[in-house]
Amino acid sequence: MTKHDNNNEIGGPLSAVGMTEKLLDIAGVMIVVLDTKGDIALLNRKAEKILDYTKEILIGKNWFDTCLPKDEQKIVKDYFFDIISGKQEMPESMENCIVSRNGKQRLIHWKNNILKDESGVIIGILSSGEDITEKRKAEEKLKANLKIQRSLAEISKLIITDRTPDINHILKIIGKTINVNRVYIFKLRDNFKKMDNTHEWCAPRTEPQIDNLQDMDNVQFPWWMQKLKNGENIVIEDVNSLPVNASAEKELLESQKIRSLLVVPFQSKAGTLTGFMGFDDTNDVREWSDEDIQALKVICEMLQMYWEGKETKKTLDFEREQLLSIFESISEIIYVSDPQTYEILFVNDKLKNAFNEELIGKICYKELQGLDSPCDFCTNEIILKDKNKEYQWEYHNPTLNRDYMITDRIIRWPDGRDVRFEIAIDISE
């Protein structure tokens, strides 16, 4: 639709807009006609279904007062009257929320046309609307997941390559990614009788709690500790909804102004509880997504492996096992290759299953791309120039027929070599 299409000359009364009600009702989108006062003159069956109203109830009612969220009513209504008066041009399309009779909000993408009578006087606006609520949620979920995977890759690199990684910096990375107010680690001691808050990151304007959470008696929090000993995650969407047998925990959380939280246990290889790591939201209650929980679990596993490796001072073989175990815990495609020989040194199960064959020891460009010589788009030269910097790019793999957001960087392999580390996130539609 071009801009000049927005002004349609029509004749007759407003109810006769050049189409029958039957035609309107078979349309797959909402159709709404407003008169110059913003009152509903006509709507189709799809609009009735989305709004959860019948035509008989809505015809004659003001659209803005009845069908828009209260916080959007004035600004949208003012914009409408500016269009009717000629102060503003009618946009070809726009997005805004509507409210159904049951109070649920839906995001609608509108296409608009000005209606005029035979003399050219504006008599109303015709709009067709597509409900894009679920589409937008899916887009936002994909963006959030991509952001989490990038942060996990960054944290993995810090733990793998730094002999003494900055734990508080790791907490900051994931805290900002998940958009929480506080991230913290507790360690158990004295045969599980005591616990201490050992690390903490707080968002701006969030009060730190670490000094108040030292030398705590675990016996005071039986509900909390039993869940962690059982290997359970503690997922609290609303602190006010905690059960009666968690009254001590509720009192402590409320004293810290926590509205919602997520906690995951640290467990040794033997399955012993060694501590826990958590997210706090002090602003509002929230629903913790599977991606939030998985991100916290992966970081707990990484840190637990790091601490165990540091304490036991295992050999080179253990370091390699630790490294590969971390790679396997990440849900996206990962592989490692020698940038000089192109030999594949590691692939995780996600990539191995995609090709359904053993890839380690083979040549990357032959097995992954089906080529006889190195890829002309190979990023080895780029990442070797600056070994401390990652390189991101998008690529369509013709062998798998999938689109990927790829992050490449150089890491130190357990045998001392500089190798190519690649994580590929599937962004195919």
Side-chain angles (χ1 to χ4, degrees), residues 153-406:
E154 182 181 357
I155 291 169
S156 175
K157 182 257 179 183
L158 289 173
I159 294 174
I160 293 167
T161 60
D162 195 333
R163 290 185 178 276
T164 56
D166 184 342
I167 304 299
N168 286 335
H169 181 60
I170 289 172
L171 302 190
K172 177 180 179 180
I173 292 171
I174 196 62
K176 294 179 73 173
T177 299
I178 304 296
N179 191 28
V180 294
N181 302 95
R182 188 183 296 118
V183 188
Y184 46 86
I185 291 173
F186 278 75
K187 288 290 193 70
L188 304 185
R189 60 180 172 84
D190 296 349
N191 198 25
F192 311 112
K193 294 178 181 178
K194 295 279 190 177
M195 62 179 168
D196 303 298
N197 186 178
T198 58
H199 300 83
E200 179 188 55
W201 170 82
C202 295
R205 295 180 294 280
T206 300
E207 185 178 354
Q209 297 294 326
I210 190 168
D211 291 340
N212 305 322
L213 301 172
Q214 303 299 318
D215 197 34
M216 301 180 71
D217 290 320
N218 296 341
V219 71
Q220 295 180 356
F221 311 104
W223 177 85
W224 184 282
M225 295 308 301
Q226 190 58 53
K227 280 187 169 293
L228 294 176
K229 286 179 181 178
N230 292 340
E232 298 179 39
N233 303 323
I234 299 177
V235 183
I236 303 175
E237 296 181 359
D238 185 352
V239 167
N240 286 328
S241 67
L242 278 170
V244 175
N245 59 337
S247 58
E249 289 84 353
K250 182 179 180 181
E251 181 180 353
L252 177 63
L253 298 175
E254 287 180 338
S255 72
Q256 300 172 50
K257 301 179 181 179
I258 298 171
R259 302 287 305 281
S260 183
L261 66 84
L262 168 63
V263 166
V264 170
F266 282 116
Q267 290 182 312
S268 68
K269 276 192 172 183
T272 303
L273 178 67
T274 62
F276 56 88
M277 180 175 175
F279 295 149
D280 287 349
D281 192 322
T282 61
N283 292 331
D284 206 350
V285 298
R286 70 187 284 174
E287 181 178 346
W288 300 98
S289 70
D290 291 341
E291 290 77 16
D292 296 337
I293 298 170
Q294 184 60 25
L296 192 52
K297 287 178 67 176
V298 168
I299 295 170
C300 281
E301 290 170 5
M302 291 181 185
L303 290 174
Q304 182 67 29
M305 290 177 192
Y306 163 73
W307 284 320
E308 287 185 357
K310 182 179 179 181
E311 290 169 2
T312 58
K313 298 179 181 178
K314 292 257 182 160
T315 61
L316 187 65
D317 286 341
F318 174 80
E319 292 179 10
R320 185 175 187 280
E321 178 186 346
Q322 178 188 38
L323 176 66
L324 302 188
S325 179
I326 291 172
F327 289 169
E328 287 290 5
S329 69
I330 298 175
S331 60
E332 304 298 335
I333 284 176
I334 287 178
Y335 85 94
V336 177
S337 65
D338 188 318
Q340 307 300 333
T341 66
Y342 303 97
E343 178 188 2
I344 298 172
L345 304 175
F346 170 81
V347 296
N348 66 349
D349 286 341
K350 181 101 174 191
L351 182 56
K352 188 185 300 181
N353 293 338
F355 281 85
N356 197 29
E357 65 175 295
E358 182 59 54
L359 297 170
I360 294 176
K362 298 181 180 179
I363 302 303
C364 61
Y365 57 80
K366 290 182 178 180
E367 301 301 322
L368 304 183
Q369 305 297 338
L371 301 175
D372 295 324
S373 59
C375 311
D376 56 9
F377 50 82
C378 181
T379 60
N380 284 347
E381 185 176 347
I382 296 172
I383 58 178
L384 283 169
K385 282 183 179 178
D386 190 347
K387 296 179 182 180
N388 295 316
K389 187 176 180 181
E390 66 183 24
Y391 180 76
Q392 291 185 342
W393 54 296
E394 292 185 18
Y395 176 65
H396 176 80
N397 188 300
T399 305
L400 299 177
N401 193 28
R402 306 293 293 174
D403 296 311
Y404 294 95
M405 172 68 73
I406 297 174

Side-chain angles (χ1 to χ4, degrees), residues 115-134:
L115 302 175
K116 296 181 179 179
D117 63 15
E118 293 179 347
S119 62
V121 176
I122 295 175
I123 58 172
I125 290 177
L126 166 68
S127 298
S128 64
E130 177 188 1
D131 186 344
I132 60 170
T133 308
E134 300 309 319

